[in-house]
Amino acid sequence: MVREVYIVGNWKMYKTAREATDYIEKLVPKVEGFKLNIYLAVPFTSIAQATSFAKQTQIVIGAQNMNDARDGAFTGEIAGLMLKEAGASFVLLGHSERRRLFHETNEIVHKKVVRALQDDIQPILCVGETLLERDEGKAEEVLKEQIMHALEGISKEDASRLILAYEPVWAIGTGKTATPKMAEEAHSFCRDVLIELFGKKVGQSISILYGGSVNADTALQIMAQKNIDGVLVGGASLDPDTFAAIAAHCIHK
Ligand code: PGA
């Protein structure tokens, strides 16, 4: 089964709109001709400008979060339709920083996934266990619950539009990457959950990305794993040279 390969940069709360356009200008020539989906999840305020700068290039711009309502009296929130109009093609949902710092539950993440699909924005659903959960032998149980709950009631057709990202919480921003074997085991488990939910054909077609302290030194080995279809890169995506170097490791898949 040939799956789409992705590198996704998650800028978090870094870079103004001007910095975003400088970055894209630097990145474009470095990744020219790469046969790979190159996504950048930028801050809300950079989406429109980044989208217009990325036009005619292979770089796809998206968001890092959205509200689950179509619209409404939710001060400070942002709706999928607003992101879509600004140019966002995809959105990260359920990132562990959202779950941990902003109290997003599996139910909230589920509602956001449903809304993103309705608003025609490709969801990248992030799941992952904490160190405590892993140490207690509960990693698989947690992953299964996160995936099952977030994707409850989603049709096979909609499921084929989404991307899953496995990001062990203990590896995000810590410099600790899961070993390729550990990551592959988790990905293979997530793959089985997707097959259980959507059947073999769709379950095997969904790309699963690994995230958590990925850098230019670790990407090649990570990408060599059978069930790893790309990477979600935080800190190391902030520099276009490093991001392009990681992308170069992803094109051989
Ligand atoms: P990191 O972040 O690469 O800095 O660990 C990954 C993420 O948060 O998606």
Side-chain angles (χ1 to χ4, degrees):
M1 160 70 64
V2 180
R3 285 184 289 269
E4 289 283 312
V5 179
Y6 297 86
I7 180 170
V8 182
N10 173 14
W11 285 0
K12 310 194 179 190
M13 204 174 72
Y14 293 101
K15 296 194 191 294
T16 64
R18 185 178 305 157
E19 288 166 340
T21 54
D22 287 350
Y23 178 104
I24 291 167
E25 267 185 344
K26 286 192 188 128
L27 181 66
V28 168
K30 292 180 205 297
V31 295
E32 215 182 316
F34 282 16
K35 291 204 169 33
L36 169 75
N37 294 286
I38 303 178
Y39 281 23
L40 289 175
V42 304
F44 296 141
T45 50
S46 301
I47 290 173
Q49 230 163 302
T51 299
S52 82
F53 258 70
K55 243 186 212 134
Q56 324 286 356
T57 78
Q58 66 191 115
I59 292 163
V60 175
I61 302 298
Q64 302 167 16
N65 179 34
M66 61 179 266
N67 193 269
D68 62 280
R70 185 186 185 281
D71 50 23
F74 302 112
T75 303
E77 287 295 289
I78 193 127
L81 291 173
M82 297 168 185
L83 298 176
K84 178 88 190 161
E85 194 181 281
S89 300
F90 72 93
V91 61
L92 301 181
L93 294 175
H95 189 280
S96 72
E97 283 153 17
R98 299 293 320 168
R99 293 178 190 261
R100 183 167 49 90
L101 303 170
F102 302 97
H103 317 295
E104 288 192 10
T105 60
N106 284 334
E107 180 57 18
I108 293 174
V109 175
H110 166 66
K111 287 183 176 164
K112 291 185 176 194
V113 170
V114 171
R115 177 62 57 191
L117 288 165
Q118 274 171 0
D119 291 346
D120 196 25
I121 300 185
Q122 181 180 33
I124 302 183
L125 170 65
C126 305
V127 296
E129 81 286 356
T130 62
L131 191 56
L132 184 68
E133 287 160 349
R134 176 162 279 269
D135 287 347
E136 288 178 347
K138 292 188 187 146
E140 292 192 344
E141 189 188 316
V142 169
L143 291 176
K144 187 164 188 172
E145 171 63 16
Q146 288 178 344
I147 298 170
M148 289 275 194
H149 200 147
L151 301 182
E152 199 185 320
I154 302 284
S155 69
K156 283 186 188 181
E157 196 190 342
D158 277 343
S160 62
R161 293 158 59 201
L162 57 85
I163 298 172
L164 187 68
Y166 167 64
E167 297 202 295
V169 177
W170 46 272
I172 295 178
T174 57
K176 286 186 205 148
T177 324
T179 62
K181 185 171 171 281
M182 222 186 241
E184 171 59 21
E185 278 168 10
H187 279 233
S188 154
F189 177 77
C190 292
R191 170 83 51 222
D192 289 343
V193 177
L194 292 175
I195 290 172
E196 190 180 328
L197 273 171
F198 304 114
K200 224 168 176 173
K201 190 160 170 264
V202 172
Q204 281 187 339
S205 71
I206 299 172
S207 297
I208 309 180
L209 319 185
Y210 171 79
S213 297
V214 173
N215 59 40
D217 297 328
T218 55
L220 194 57
Q221 273 207 337
I222 295 261
M223 285 302 295
Q225 308 304 309
K226 185 166 161 249
N227 279 290
I228 300 187
D229 310 305
V231 285
L232 176 48
V233 188
S237 74
L238 293 173
D239 173 61
D241 288 316
T242 311
F243 192 60
I246 298 172
H249 288 317
C250 299
I251 53 177
H252 305 293
K253 191 84 191 174

